[in-house]
Amino acid sequence: MSIKKVTITGAAGNIAYSLIFRILSKLPFKATDKINLTLLDIELSQKSLTGLRFEIEDCAFSTLNKIAITADSEKAFDDSDYIIMVGAKPRSKGMERSDLILDNAGIFKSQAETINNVCSSSTKIIVVGNPANTNALILNYNTPKIPNENVTSLMKLDQNRAKSILASKLDKQVEEIHQMIIWGNHSTTQVPDLYNCKVKSLIVDVEESWIYGTFIPKVQKRGGEIIEFRGLSSAASAASAIYDHINILENGSDEWESLGIMTSGEYDITEGLMFSLPLSISENSYKVIPDVNINSKIADLIKLSEKELLKERDIVKQYLP
Ligand code: NAD
Ligand code: LMR
């Protein structure tokens, strides 16, 4: 029987409450019969984690081999195959994700150091806690043992949002929309780019005024809109996107995907940033899709997102050894 150890941080929080049940209902991991699930949260949340553990046990999931809850990050990360890093403060109304940067940077640095000590070089890490790309950068810099390509940040939620908004504009099904790209940061500077999108192999044709006046700002601001209406940041949709992200990393995808990865000069983007790029993903490896057509307006927007990530990198430079 094949068993993976999966660790989720911030496990007593809102996203985890959706994510755990989604994962256990149908494992997204390739060739894995069961998981050993370890849930990490701070000391204060251990009582609530105990209640969560009871609920998980009460589901009698056949996909669960063992479950552990802990506030000890060393125990949590020790020998993990997958770590899903959700544990971080979320923003509230009126904040930008980057306002969380110094609150959350310390968490990611210290957890990265532990991961580097207790995990193997094959461990895969997905960063969700905001600002996700810069937290992932901190994590990457502080885990020299783990190859950069094993660390990705969540941009799938943005891609799902963009597909859904375009499908509804065109009165199509989401699965008919192909080649949607998100460039840049998981923030209001992200660049949803539909210029290469196809519906049934035909390039999508929509008015420029809708692209720049509605589509791009709507995707960019969707997280804030949810906070405005729900009073809390997205949780179930974020969990669903994390599930999709794991699934495509493990099993590959026929689609163009967008995940945050460490740049190495592609598309003239500064090296050493966690940046969302168009990727083709096959089982356990990904490649940046080359030679994508970028018009000058989109190129200018991509530069703005790069500039924001450079600024974030500068703010956290003390966390980057
Ligand atoms: P939440 O406040 O409900 O849960 C966060 C949990 O993290 C809490 O239980 C908290 O105790 C825990 N935590 C804090 N510090 C920790 C530490 N050092 N170790 C372990 N656990 C710790 O928040 P949420 O709604 O679940 O969101 C979590 C994060 O995900 C936020 O930063 C949010 O902005 C971000 N987010 C990112 C995306 C994305 O697409 N990248 C989408 C949605 C939310
Ligand atoms: C989102 O995009 O929904 C999350 O990043 C939460 C937020 O702060 O917007």
Side-chain angles (χ1 to χ4, degrees), residues 184-185 189 267-271 273 275 301-312:
N185 198 4
T189 68
Y267 290 100
D268 222 12
I269 307 290
T270 310
E271 280 182 42
L273 293 176
F275 202 92
L301 293 175
I302 293 173
K303 281 287 155 206
L304 283 182
S305 204
E306 178 193 22
K307 199 168 154 199
E308 180 184 49
L309 279 166
L310 283 166
K311 190 169 154 209
E312 290 185 15

Side-chain angles (χ1 to χ4, degrees), residues 5-167:
K5 176 171 175 182
V6 177
T7 301
I8 300 179
T9 77
N14 282 302
I15 294 177
Y17 196 70
S18 273
L19 178 64
I20 292 165
F21 297 91
R22 181 84 195 271
I23 287 179
L24 287 169
S25 298
K26 187 170 191 292
L27 296 183
F29 308 100
K30 190 168 169 265
T32 304
D33 301 305
K34 287 179 186 276
I35 59 173
N36 289 338
L37 181 63
T38 301
L39 304 179
L40 174 72
D41 210 294
I42 55 174
E43 205 59 67
L44 263 177
S45 301
Q46 294 305 299
K47 185 171 176 202
S48 139
L49 266 193
T50 305
L52 176 59
R53 175 163 61 82
F54 293 160
E55 281 209 74
I56 293 166
E57 287 166 355
D58 292 352
C59 291
F61 284 117
S62 60
T63 49
L64 183 66
N65 185 54
K66 269 196 240 162
I67 179 161
I69 59 170
T70 183
D72 178 338
S73 52
E74 207 167 307
K75 267 195 207 142
F77 297 137
D78 186 33
D79 234 4
S80 286
D81 296 298
Y82 250 93
I83 303 175
I84 307 165
M85 306 205 54
V86 184
K89 199 169 154 182
R91 65 175 166 151
S92 40
K93 278 184 197 174
M95 289 171 80
E96 285 296 328
R97 295 178 187 88
S98 55
D99 295 337
L100 302 165
I101 204 161
L102 289 174
D103 281 331
N104 289 336
I107 299 178
F108 282 83
K109 181 163 195 301
S110 89
Q111 292 187 341
E113 286 164 352
T114 311
I115 289 171
N116 200 55
N117 288 336
V118 301
C119 291
S120 79
S121 61
S122 62
T123 305
K124 297 236 168 60
I125 304 168
I126 299 172
V127 177
V128 178
N130 275 320
N133 295 44
T134 295
N135 289 336
L137 189 73
I138 294 173
L139 199 108
N140 235 332
Y141 269 77
N142 289 284
T143 50
K145 191 161 117 191
I146 295 178
N148 286 345
E149 56 272 24
N150 285 15
V151 179
T152 51
S153 59
L154 186 70
M155 299 294 301
K156 187 69 187 160
L157 177 57
D158 306 291
Q159 196 191 28
N160 285 347
R161 286 170 173 163
K163 273 192 179 178
S164 176
I165 291 166
L166 180 60

